[in-house]
Amino acid sequence: MCDSRLFAAQDAAGVLVVDGFYGGASSMEGMADYALARLPDRFAMLGHSMGARVALEIVRKAPERVERIALSNTGVHPVQPGEREKRYRLRDIGREQGMERLVDTWLPPMLGPSVGANSELRERLRAMCLDAGLEIFEAQIEALLSRPQVDDVLASLDCPALSVTGEQDAWSPPDQHARIAQAIQGCLLRIVPSAGHMLPAEQPEAFNAVLGDWLAMPARETETTK
């Protein structure tokens, strides 16, 4: 349920954000196609949360277009036992009690303890999620529940890569990102203090500094045929 409002600090620094909630696509492949149609021929790619899974699908479909990749606050594991039921419980809250109740159930655990209950940031992110609406939320959980395995994509990555999360992210904790970094050759691992799942908005200066380290990583040499 995130759009460019999550990346306001990165947008101000010149980052192109693929907006529009993936056009309502209900599969990772469809979301990747939506993004690829709006991206330049070559790009450095940052994916956050579900967007990082979309980023890996983009690599699967068009590896020649990806110069480097950053995976933020995410996971690469397959669907876990009980996950379908948990996601559908949230969906049913939206269907039965309305979108406000769904967002007020879903959003608070996504934020680190440093984000106050009545803060401007929380209200901005709440408005973003409400604007997404139930139809978009349902499409996104269907995409997550039908997500493909990505072990082969991780193993194939030969570009500068970053695995980053917040120290207080209960959904995508540091040990999970350490495992992601281990699965990618030469991957940079960064854990940002005092941040939860909405890291780009919670600690924008620290997050942008991490992105700077990633962007400064030298491109890997590729073999050329003679």
Side-chain angles (χ1 to χ4, degrees):
M1 293 189 284
C2 298
D3 63 13
S4 59
R5 280 169 279 192
L6 179 69
F7 301 102
Q10 293 75 49
D11 192 27
V15 172
L16 169 65
V17 180
V18 177
D19 221 333
F21 300 111
Y22 299 109
S26 58
S27 69
M28 292 295 166
E29 182 178 9
M31 292 175 176
D33 288 339
Y34 180 90
L36 280 166
R38 289 157 178 80
L39 290 167
D41 290 341
R42 290 275 289 172
F43 48 87
M45 179 168 55
L46 161 67
H48 174 265
S49 192
M50 184 188 71
R53 292 184 179 274
V54 177
L56 291 171
E57 192 63 23
I58 287 172
V59 172
R60 190 196 307 274
K61 296 174 75 70
E64 73 284 354
R65 294 177 62 180
V66 180
E67 293 180 352
R68 58 188 65 217
I69 186 170
L71 305 174
S72 169
N73 303 82
T74 193
V76 295
H77 50 273
V79 175
Q80 301 295 289
E83 179 179 340
R84 183 177 303 274
E85 291 75 16
K86 289 178 182 178
R87 293 191 184 279
Y88 282 166
R89 275 198 293 273
L90 276 171
R91 176 203 65 186
D92 291 344
I93 288 174
R95 288 180 175 180
E96 297 165 8
Q97 302 179 49
M99 195 63 188
E100 287 198 5
R101 179 60 176 163
L102 188 160
V103 172
D104 289 342
T105 302
W106 178 84
L107 180 60
M110 296 285 179
L111 300 170
S114 61
V115 180
N118 299 310
S119 68
E120 182 277 333
L121 173 59
R122 184 184 291 246
E123 289 306 308
R124 173 158 51 92
L125 296 179
R126 183 176 186 272
M128 173 187 73
C129 296
L130 288 173
D131 286 348
L134 184 58
E135 185 176 349
I136 290 295
F137 179 77
E138 292 192 8
Q140 291 182 348
I141 63 171
E142 291 304 322
L144 285 165
L145 291 174
S146 63
R147 61 187 184 257
Q149 67 84 25
V150 295
D151 290 349
D152 57 331
V153 180
L154 297 172
S156 74
L157 287 172
D158 59 357
C159 61
L162 166 68
S163 174
V164 57
T165 195
E167 179 186 30
Q168 299 165 333
D169 188 344
W171 293 85
S172 306
D175 61 341
Q176 183 165 288
H177 270 268
R179 291 192 294 272
I180 293 172
Q182 290 170 357
I184 304 171
Q185 182 181 3
C187 184
L188 182 68
L189 174 65
R190 291 289 185 268
I191 309 301
V192 178
S194 303
H197 191 71
M198 299 300 189
L199 169 59
E202 291 183 52
Q203 295 292 341
E205 292 184 4
F207 185 69
N208 285 358
V210 169
L211 295 185
D213 291 343
W214 164 63
L215 291 169
M217 292 174 67
R220 299 187 191 159
E221 295 183 1
T222 57
E223 293 184 2
T224 57
T225 55
K226 297 181 178 180

